Amino acid sequence: MAKKTIMLACGTGMSTSMLYSKIHKIVENEHLDLEVIACSVAEARQLLEEKTVDVLLLGPQVAYLAKKIQEKLADKNTIVAAINRDDYGLANGRKILEQAQALLSE
């Protein structure tokens, strides 16, 4: 199976970069076949044009963009969802990774 890509995006990319560190460590330690990217929503728009992303998880503060982004990515089969507010606030990398993996298995 090909490596899957998970993108985390928030307003400025700062919060998701902290989450990236936690999730990336789990991915490396458990030898998961995943690529994780963290960026701002503005950067995500550019990256999504250049790269195949399987799951895009949005920070709660930009969750309102999910439907609009999903519509723009309809031809790319990218799953777009909001990160659970509690998991985001607690920077629970494990739970956020589990959310992404559940979306990948749907």
Side-chain angles (χ1 to χ4, degrees):
M1 187 163 85
K3 182 180 268 195
K4 299 291 185 174
T5 301
I6 299 167
M7 179 181 284
L8 310 168
C10 65
T12 63
M14 291 178 62
S15 299
T16 50
S17 68
M18 289 188 305
L19 288 172
Y20 166 85
S21 297
K22 292 182 177 205
I23 293 170
H24 184 70
K25 189 178 288 187
I26 296 167
V27 168
E28 281 191 339
N29 290 341
E30 297 181 11
H31 308 288
L32 302 175
D33 200 16
L34 297 170
E35 177 184 11
V36 182
I37 301 167
C39 59
S40 69
V41 171
E43 292 169 320
R45 290 183 177 128
Q46 174 79 28
L47 288 170
L48 288 163
E49 289 180 20
E50 303 167 359
K51 184 167 188 57
T52 299
V53 173
D54 299 290
V55 174
L56 168 59
L57 292 177
L58 299 172
Q61 72 276 34
V62 293
Y64 68 94
L65 296 171
K67 184 176 180 179
K68 185 177 180 179
I69 293 171
Q70 184 73 66
E71 289 170 359
K72 287 187 177 188
L73 298 175
D75 63 328
K76 294 192 177 209
N77 296 322
T78 300
I79 300 165
V80 180
I83 298 171
N84 175 283
R85 183 175 300 279
D86 292 335
D87 295 335
Y88 187 85
L90 295 171
N92 190 333
R94 170 66 65 188
K95 291 290 258 179
I96 294 167
L97 178 58
E98 288 172 359
Q99 178 187 3
Q101 290 175 307
L103 290 168
L104 285 169
S105 66
E106 287 183 355

